Amino acid sequence: MFTGLSAFPLTPVTGSGIDTTAYARLVSRLAAAGVESIGALGSTGSYPYLTREQRAEAAKIAVDAAAGTPVLVGIGDTATSEVLALAEDAQNAGAAAVLLAPVSYQPLTDDEVFGLYEDVTRELSLPLCVYDNPRTTHFQFSDELHGRIAALPNVGSIKIPGVPADAKARVDALRARIPDTVTIGISGDAVAAEGLAAGCDVWYSVLGGLFPDTARAVMRDTAESERLRPLWDLFARHGSIRVVAAAATHLGLTGERVLPRPLRELDGAARREVIDTLRQLNL
């Protein structure tokens, strides 16, 4: 399951909790599109803003709506005890794998991050994807640390952030440190084409969570990514979660309220810009 297109949908949130109907609709669309896996409760899925009970509910909805498509469930939290509880919930929901970022309030050391993954994999019966996301966690993985973690039981993939200009050298350097059984996945949609061309095995995709066919087009022909430059520019300016939320609302897939507070939906000129860009790109 850690190859191909892994699509990460929104978790639509209203004032009273998860919009279960809209969420199931978003997930079922991805299963129908034939994505290799679905990433529930990733960053686009707003996992840090939800309670444990809401996350367990979202995991169950995603697995049910995926109808057999493998579902990765995010289990990141600040305390290891909470991560272990979330891992148990994900397993009980029928998840095929879990996704774990080293979330923290206090800055973590390399040994503390290794200890987190060691503690979790010791209790885990599912494959785990290491979520390397320094923009939100403020933790920088070294390749040496990735290698130590990748040798732990049940580690199946590493989700890396955007690659630099020498993408192949970056991917090759990491691959030299990890077992052959562990895949490398690219995130950061604007640079995903470069990561895929450099040999990444899977695209962990925000775009794929709403427009899976368009993401497939990028995977078939990485030059297609340049056509989507106006969308990548919007992601950079407003944040991908706000842009995708506006797009989902415009397409009638969700209600007007989508994001957990304090996040706010785009409105006015920003929302019109998103709609104009979708029309320009035939999305």
Side-chain angles (χ1 to χ4, degrees):
M1 63 175 293
F2 294 127
T3 59
L5 177 60
S6 186
F8 280 61
L10 293 161
T11 308
V13 176
T14 67
S16 59
I18 296 171
D19 184 340
T20 58
T21 300
Y23 187 46
R25 182 185 303 122
L26 291 172
V27 173
S28 62
R29 287 176 76 248
L30 301 177
V35 301
E36 275 71 36
S37 63
I38 295 169
L41 298 171
S43 296
T44 307
S46 300
Y47 74 92
Y49 300 96
L50 304 178
T51 66
R52 178 185 174 184
E53 292 73 22
Q54 288 172 324
R55 292 171 70 168
E57 178 185 26
K60 185 66 167 62
I61 292 168
V63 170
D64 289 347
T69 299
V71 176
L72 290 72
V73 174
I75 60 170
D77 210 308
T78 51
T80 299
S81 59
E82 288 300 310
V83 174
L84 291 171
L86 291 163
E88 182 178 5
D89 292 342
Q91 291 176 117
N92 290 339
V98 295
L99 175 70
L100 177 58
V103 180
S104 184
Y105 179 81
Q106 298 291 345
L108 296 174
T109 68
D110 281 13
D111 284 344
E112 288 168 338
V113 169
F114 178 79
L116 167 67
Y117 287 96
E118 185 177 43
D119 289 342
V120 172
T121 55
R122 185 184 297 119
E123 303 294 329
L124 197 63
S125 60
L126 297 178
L128 178 144
C129 177
V130 177
Y131 192 179
D132 182 349
N133 189 2
R135 182 176 178 182
T136 57
T137 64
H138 308 291
F139 180 81
Q140 294 282 344
F141 281 87
S142 67
D143 285 357
E144 188 274 335
L145 178 58
H146 270 312
R148 290 174 63 197
I149 293 171
L152 292 169
N154 292 317
V155 174
S157 187
I158 302 171
K159 182 179 188 284
I160 64 171
V163 290
D166 55 343
K168 189 173 188 310
R170 169 73 191 95
V171 172
D172 287 349
L174 177 57
R175 200 177 296 281
R177 292 273 192 167
I178 63 177
D180 292 342
T181 54
V182 177
T183 68
I184 299 174
I186 187 68
S187 61
D189 284 10
V191 294
E194 287 86 345
L196 294 168
C200 286
D201 306 287
V202 52
W203 180 9
Y204 295 110
S205 176
V206 176
L207 177 73
L210 193 59
F211 301 107
D213 292 340
T214 305
R216 286 281 193 211
V218 172
M219 298 181 76
R220 288 193 301 269
D221 179 4
T222 55
E224 174 72 4
S225 181
E226 190 55 37
R227 186 184 74 85
L228 300 174
R229 181 61 50 192
L231 183 63
W232 307 148
D233 291 343
L234 288 179
F235 279 16
R237 192 152 62 250
H238 300 299
S240 60
I241 190 171
R242 297 182 186 87
V243 174
V244 171
T249 297
H250 171 68
L251 295 172
L253 297 172
T254 66
E256 291 291 324
R257 176 76 181 268
V258 182
L259 301 177
R261 298 297 182 257
L263 300 180
R264 297 279 174 168
E265 292 76 19
L266 299 177
D267 58 12
R271 181 165 175 175
R272 288 193 297 272
E273 189 178 14
V274 171
I275 294 170
D276 289 344
T277 299
L278 295 179
R279 289 171 176 161
Q280 173 192 343
L281 297 175
N282 295 316
L283 294 176

